Amino acid sequence: MEAMDDMLLANWVNLHHSSINVPSSYLQPPETRPGTLFISSGKTIPVVDLEEHHHHHHADIINQILKASEEYGFFQVINHGVSRDLMDDVLNIFKEFHSMPSKEKLNECSKDPNRSCKLYTSGENHRRDAVHYWKDTLTHPCPPSREYIKYWPNKPSNYRKVVGKYTEEVRKLGLKILEMLCEGLGIRKEYFLSGGLSENPSLVVHHYPPCPDPTLTLGLAKHRDPSIITILLQDKNVRGLQVLKDHEWFGVDPIPYAFVVNIGLLFQIISNGRLIGAEHRVVTNLRNARTSVAYFMNPSKESIIEPANDLLVNGTTQQTIYKSMSYEEFRTNFFHKGPKVESELHN
Ligand code: OGA
Ligand code: NI
């Protein structure tokens, strides 16, 4: 099998159509192979309606998202205020983007001298991955200052306009959810508006082409997100995302026009372990390509990540179980230690 180092997976799969087997570099070892897919265990992550009305009070909504964040670290939200047209437009833009020729895509993603806007196949370092993942990923910062927009792709032609609007709307939703979780936890509502905690969001767009044998591969390895929270838009009809709970994988079935929200490791630290940054992964699909758009709420490099003071004063927990560290230190630990990062975070 020829190497596909110089090509994006979407284009390689297009060239070879369905006449391929899974190349050996993509075969997961037995212990991480998904094997049988989508057996229904009956578990599903909670779905929360964010619209308040006279039978659905603010306090109930807070309780629902708080409980979901404590038990699962994941929930879906509906009636969240982001327009359906915008959600359709943004998914279509990214599908169109990933269907462009390799060269053109790479060209559109090479404007940033610091390479914070980039396109890669498999994991962030394809050549170093022991096993490759069945996806291509486009990522770039999307801070409210808009300073990175000049490095974003400019094709499809309305990319910057649509993605700019989308990231603005999703940011509002993210801040609203964070505010409600703070209220529920007894942390001051403005917590995430200070200390640069929400100033450095980034967008990560995955494209998982159809895979000839999804039982042998993964789109994305088991991981916890290195974010505060992540707000994910997934394709309406294609399954892929799975969450680990009580040692069992179960699927997050797409609900049209819902967002999947998950707690990241940083909020696990800030909540002193009350909310969980749950492990999740993505499996591939035999027939359909899947596109997902993840908005990571991330702090600035200098931001201090530590259990919130308010929590320790008001709450029952008196002792911090996590160390205080800058977001930059956290990233260094996260990328060096991988899944073993937790031990570095504890007091
Ligand atoms: C991620 C992630 C899920 C998906 O980007 O961290 O978990 O469905 N993505 O692509
Ligand atoms: Ni994730």
Side-chain angles (χ1 to χ4, degrees), residues 3-20:
M4 53 180 98
D5 280 2
D6 299 324
M7 218 189 230
L8 293 156
L9 185 64
N11 305 77
W12 187 86
V13 168
N14 263 344
L15 260 179
H16 294 79
H17 294 287
S18 52
S19 62
I20 46 165

Side-chain angles (χ1 to χ4, degrees), residues 162-187:
V162 173
V163 177
K165 178 87 183 121
Y166 177 79
T167 51
E168 240 173 67
E169 293 286 304
V170 173
R171 174 177 169 79
K172 280 188 216 150
L173 171 62
L175 289 174
K176 181 174 148 183
I177 292 170
L178 287 177
E179 196 180 294
M180 288 195 287
L181 284 170
C182 283
E183 259 187 275
L185 289 166
I187 299 174

Side-chain angles (χ1 to χ4, degrees), residues 9 18 42 101 125 150 181 222 302 315 319:
L9 185 64
S18 52
N125 196 331
K150 58 182 181 293
L181 284 170
K222 176 173 93 170
E302 308 75 30
Q319 229 173 359

